[in-house]
Amino acid sequence: MNLTSRMTAHFRDAIGVIELSMSDLAEPLSAAVELMFSALANNGKILACGNGGSAADAQHFIAELVGRFERERLPLAGIALNTDTAILTAVGNDYGFEEIYQRQVGALGQPGDVLVILSTSGNSPNVMRAIEAAHDRDMHVVALTGRNGGQVGPLLGPQDVHLCVPDDRTMRIQEVHGLLLHAMCDGIDALLLGDTE
């Protein structure tokens, strides 16, 4: 296979995963948007977290909420839990890496807030503990995973939304996660601006 054919195969593979995701995830994605809009409309906030590339995606998502997405609007309340190096290193050093998000959710989360977690494997211990902390605070969880959801799936309750990308490759899962996050931003803006037709 030459290099151009290899690159073309990436586009075809990505298109296939996006089409499968569209079929599987459009309905729960709408539910996630409504959940987050409800939290924001009732003076709640969105907390987001992940590791590695998923941490970057969490940060990107919150930047779109606090800044703006495609249209001008008021800033929306959101915090990326993976951005404060003092908290991450203090909690990681004193309590362990598994606690870095759990303690922040316990400190910042309020009933009615939404925790958005991103984990391509669904097996990140620090993310799973964040979910447990969110449930302890009567928060909802929107989980973006892949690989059949891993250990995150069983932690979620009927009040939560699971967006599990139907693929096993990290790059494909992260590509769809980016699409899902942008769709969430657009959906929240559409509800805020009364533009849902």
Side-chain angles (χ1 to χ4, degrees), residues 144-157:
L144 282 72
T145 68
R147 300 189 186 123
N148 296 315
Q151 297 175 58
V152 162
L155 294 177
L156 302 173

Side-chain angles (χ1 to χ4, degrees), residues 49-62:
C49 65
N51 298 298
S54 295
D57 285 342
Q59 190 171 342
H60 178 145
F61 177 55
I62 296 301

